[in-house]
Amino acid sequence: MSTIDRAARLALAHLVEPGSRELGMLVRAVGAPEALVMVLHGHGVTEALAGAVHARLDATLLDARTGSADAWAERVALTLAGEMTERAGRLGARMVTAVDEEWLTALDDLTRVSRDGADALRRDTDPPLCLWLRGPVRLEEALERSVSVVGARAITHYGEFVASELAFGLAERGWAVVSGGALGVDVTAHRGALAAGGVTCAVLACGIDQVYPVSNAAVFERITEEGLLLTEWPPGTRPHKTRFLTRNRVIAAATRGTVMVEAGSRSGARNTLSYARRLERSAMVVPGPITSAMSVGCHVELRTPGTVLVTRVDEIVEEVGRLGELADPIHGDERPEDALDATQARVLDAVAPRAARSAEEIAAIAGVATRAARRTLPVLEQHGFVVSTEAGYRLAPKARS
Amino acid sequence: MSTIDRAARLALAHLVEPGSRELGMLVRAVGAPEALVMVLHGHGVTEALAGAVHARLDATLLDARTGSADAWAERVALTLAGEMTERAGRLGARMVTAVDEEWLTALDDLTRVSRDGADALRRDTDPPLCLWLRGPVRLEEALERSVSVVGARAITHYGEFVASELAFGLAERGWAVVSGGALGVDVTAHRGALAAGGVTCAVLACGIDQVYPVSNAAVFERITEEGLLLTEWPPGTRPHKTRFLTRNRVIAAATRGTVMVEAGSRSGARNTLSYARRLERSAMVVPGPITSAMSVGCHVELRTPGTVLVTRVDEIVEEVGRLGELADPIHGDERPEDALDATQARVLDAVAPRAARSAEEIAAIAGVATRAARRTLPVLEQHGFVVSTEAGYRLAPKARS
C-alpha cells in the first residue's frame, strides 16, 4: 500500500468522527486519497460531512489551499499523518489502519451492520479507519481468540465476583478479555484477566492519552505493560456519552462473543450485546437474582431470542470456541439407584426400612405382578439395596434415606 | 355414562398403578368394563399387567370368581367401586373420572406424551383414570386458568421470597396455583396463593388421607377448606419416589404452564418442566445467582431450547394468558436527553459544564459542521439543556451530571 493511502486514512480518521457510514462507503468505493479530496472540496458528499471536516481543519491547513484539488488533499494528508505519527511516538502509541499488517480484519464485519440499517443510531456503525494502540501485544494475534466481558458501572458484590471469575477463567484458558475502561464490570474483568497472567484489552471512548476514570489509572498502566489499550479517537479527545455508544460496536466486533454481567435496564452494555447479535457473534448473558435491579437488564436480554445464558467459563468457550470445545454437562451426584429400571425402582420403593414384607405384599404395594417382585427382589439384594429375612424383605441399612 | 363404566374405571384405578400406558390404551380401545374383563382374566394383556392386578385382588374378590367372565368382572367393579365410594365419603373426599362432569379434560393431553415415547420412564405417562379430591372448588373450573409453581424442597430465602411473591401475584390476578405437597417451593407457593385469597391446588403422590410431610398438615387443612387437595392414588397409599415422578405429569398437564423456582441439578421439578415442554405447555424458569447451587437446575433448564425466563407475574401471564395479555416492557427512568436525535446528542456532548465554548469550537469537538452546531445549539437552549453567554454556550445547571 502506498504511503499516501495510509496518510489519507489517518487524516480522515482525524477529521471525521469515527463510524461515519457515508465516509466508510466513500473510502470503499473510491479509495482513501480520493475520498479525502472529495470531503475537502465538498464534491459528491453531504454538506453535513463536508461541513464537519471543515470545522476540524485548522487555519494553517486552510491557508494551504492552493494549487490543484489533489495537491491540497495530499498536503493535508501528509501534514496530518506526520503530526499524528509524531504525537503517537511521544505517547508510546502506534496507529493501525486497514492497510497495516496488525489490522484486525474481524472489525470489517461492521460494514454488514452498517449496511443493513438506515436509522439515526446506525449512522456511526462503520468500521474504524484508524486505531491508536498502546501495549506489547499485537492486535490481530491477541484478539484472534477473545471474548468481551461487559456490564454496569455500579455493580454489586455478586457482579464483581462473577466478572472477576469469568475473566480469570477465560484468560487462564488462553482467551483474551476485551472490555471498556469504566468502573464496575469493565475494570473488574481487566483485573481478573491480569491476575491470571492473561491478555486483556481496554477499548476506550477517548484519546489514548486520557485517563478516564482517574481511579482506573493503575489498571490502565498495567494494561499498557501487559495487554492492549485501544481507541479510535485521536489523542486529546474527551469521552462523551455518544462516543461510548459508538465505541461499543468495536468491543462487539473485535471479539468472538460478548458476555454481559450485571446490567440495569438502561445499561450501555445492552447496546454492546445488541451489536454482538447483529454481527452474528455470540450474545451471552449471566443471570442474577430477579430481586436485583442490577440484573434487570440481563434478564430482559435473556428474554430476547438469540441470547445464550451462561454460568461458567466452559459454557462461554463452548459458544465461541472451535467445534468440539464442549462444556461438560452438569451432573448431580450419581446415586446407585439411578441405574435401576422402572420395575426395580418401584419394587425398591415398596420395601420398608424396618418392617419385613413378603414378596406378595411388596408386589401389591408396588403395583407389579408377584412374579415380577419375586424375580426383582433377589437382584436388589445382590446389589445391596435390600436384605432378606425369615419374614421377608426390608431395606439394607445403607439404602435407608 | 352407565354406572358400570364408572365402576369399572374406579376398580381399574384401584387395581393398577396410575399412568399405565397399556391399560390406558386398552380402555380407550374397548372401554373400561371390557378392559376390566381382559385384565382380570389375563386375555390380550401382558403378563406384567395381569399379574399386577392379581397381586392387588384380595381373597374375597378372588373367591367370587364364579360364573361368566363378564359377571365376575362386574362383581369386582361394583364391589370395589362401592368400597371406594364409601371410603371417600368417610374421608370427605370425592372421586372424579373421565366420565364425570368435573373431569379436567386438559389431562387427556397426556395421551399425546404417552404415545410418543417407548422408553421405560414413559410407561406411566397415561392420564389418570380416577382423581380423589378434597376441597370446596370444582376441579375443571378452578384449574381452567392455572399455573404450576414447582421447585426444590431445600430452598434458600431467595427461593422462598420468589415462590411466595409469584404465587401471591398469580392468585391476585385470578390464576389458580398448582404444586405438590412438599416442603420448600411447593408449600411456599400454596401459602402465597392462600394469602392472596386465591385458589391453590396440591397434587399429592400418596393417598388423600396421608399427611406427608407432617409439617405441612396445617397448610393441607387450609387447602381442604379453600382450595383443592388432589391425588390419583387410593387412600392408604404411601408416597414413594417413583410415585412423585409419575405424579409430576399431572401437575404439568393440569395447568397452562409450569414455573420452576430454585432447583438443584437433581431436582424432581426438572421432570415436571420436561413434561410441560412435551405437553406443549409453557416451560418457565426463574433465574438466580450463578453462585447458588439451588439455581443450577434452573440455569441448565434455561439453556434448553423451549424454556422461557420469567422474572415477574406479568411475564408469566403473558405466556399462559389469552392473546393480548402482554407484560409491560421494563422501562428505565426516561430522561429528557433520550428524545434528542444523533446530531443534537453529539452537540450536547461537546458543550462543557462551565467553560463557555463557541459554536465553532463545539462543532469541531462534536465532529459536525459549524452550520449544524449553529442550528442545533438554540434548539438545545430552548429545551433547557444549554445556556448561551457572551463567550458562547455552556451546559444549563440541571443538565450537568
Side-chain angles (χ1 to χ4, degrees), chain A residues 128-377:
Chain A
L129 274 171
C130 169
L131 295 174
W132 296 73
L133 302 177
R134 284 187 71 194
V137 298
R138 274 179 69 101
L139 174 66
E140 93 288 18
E141 280 172 16
L143 300 199
E144 200 218 320
R145 276 167 75 89
S146 65
V147 173
S148 58
V149 178
V150 300
R153 287 174 176 78
I155 52 173
T156 67
H157 286 295
Y158 171 67
E160 192 167 0
F161 175 80
V162 171
S164 165
E165 284 289 302
L166 294 182
F168 186 98
L170 284 165
E172 210 177 27
R173 295 180 59 161
W175 286 81
V177 169
V178 174
S179 193
L183 298 174
V185 169
D186 290 9
V187 72
T188 307
H190 293 308
R191 284 203 186 100
L194 289 168
V199 169
T200 200
C201 171
V203 183
L204 308 178
C206 56
I208 203 135
D209 59 334
Q210 307 285 303
V211 180
Y212 177 85
V214 174
S215 51
N216 283 350
V219 177
F220 291 152
E221 203 52 43
R222 271 200 69 189
I223 294 176
T224 309
E225 286 158 15
E226 305 173 33
L228 214 45
L229 219 54
L230 180 161
T231 181
E232 324 168 53
W233 282 271
T237 312
R238 301 284 306 159
H240 287 160
K241 197 173 144 190
T242 48
R243 286 180 178 143
F244 286 110
L245 295 175
T246 303
R247 182 273 319 261
N248 289 344
R249 80 195 193 295
V250 172
I251 294 180
T255 55
R256 298 243 206 118
T258 296
V259 179
M260 190 165 96
V261 178
E262 278 205 331
S265 61
R266 284 186 64 95
S267 173
R270 295 185 57 190
N271 172 248
T272 313
L273 204 70
S274 121
Y275 273 118
R277 233 180 255 124
R278 282 190 271 159
L279 285 159
E280 291 169 18
R281 309 283 198 264
S282 188
M284 296 166 278
V285 175
V286 178
I290 61 170
T291 45
S292 164
M294 292 323 294
S295 287
V296 168
C298 292
H299 297 147
V300 173
E301 293 295 343
L302 281 168
R303 288 171 51 77
T304 305
T307 315
V308 177
L309 182 146
V310 292
T311 65
R312 298 177 292 146
V313 171
D314 276 8
E315 292 167 358
I316 297 171
V317 171
E318 178 175 315
E319 277 296 309
V320 295
R322 297 195 188 83
L323 274 176
E325 293 190 66
L326 295 178
D328 287 331
I330 291 173
H331 293 293
D333 307 328
E334 298 290 332
R335 294 172 197 176
E337 57 266 41
D338 293 343
L340 302 181
D341 70 24
T343 304
Q344 290 168 337
R346 266 202 201 178
V347 170
L348 180 59
D349 270 350
V351 180
R354 283 181 186 83
R357 284 176 178 158
S358 69
E360 291 72 20
E361 287 174 306
I362 289 168
I365 292 168
V368 302
T370 308
R371 267 182 70 178
R374 284 208 192 100
R375 227 174 16 229
T376 303
L377 285 161

Side-chain angles (χ1 to χ4, degrees), chain A residues 47 56 242-243 349 364 371, chain B residues 47 56 242 349 364-365 371:
Chain A
E47 217 182 285
R56 284 199 180 161
T242 48
R243 286 180 178 143
D349 270 350
R371 267 182 70 178
Chain B
E47 216 181 286
R56 283 199 180 162
T242 48
D349 270 350
I365 293 168
R371 269 182 67 176

Side-chain angles (χ1 to χ4, degrees), chain B residues 274-329:
Chain B
S274 121
Y275 274 118
R277 235 181 252 121
R278 282 190 270 158
L279 286 159
E280 292 169 18
R281 310 283 199 263
S282 188
M284 297 166 276
V285 176
V286 178
I290 61 170
T291 45
S292 164
M294 292 322 295
S295 288
V296 168
C298 293
H299 297 147
V300 173
E301 292 294 344
L302 281 167
R303 287 170 53 76
T304 306
T307 315
V308 177
L309 183 146
V310 293
T311 65
R312 297 177 293 147
V313 171
D314 276 8
E315 292 166 358
I316 298 171
V317 171
E318 178 174 316
E319 277 297 309
V320 295
R322 298 195 187 84
L323 275 176
E325 292 190 67
L326 296 177
D328 287 331

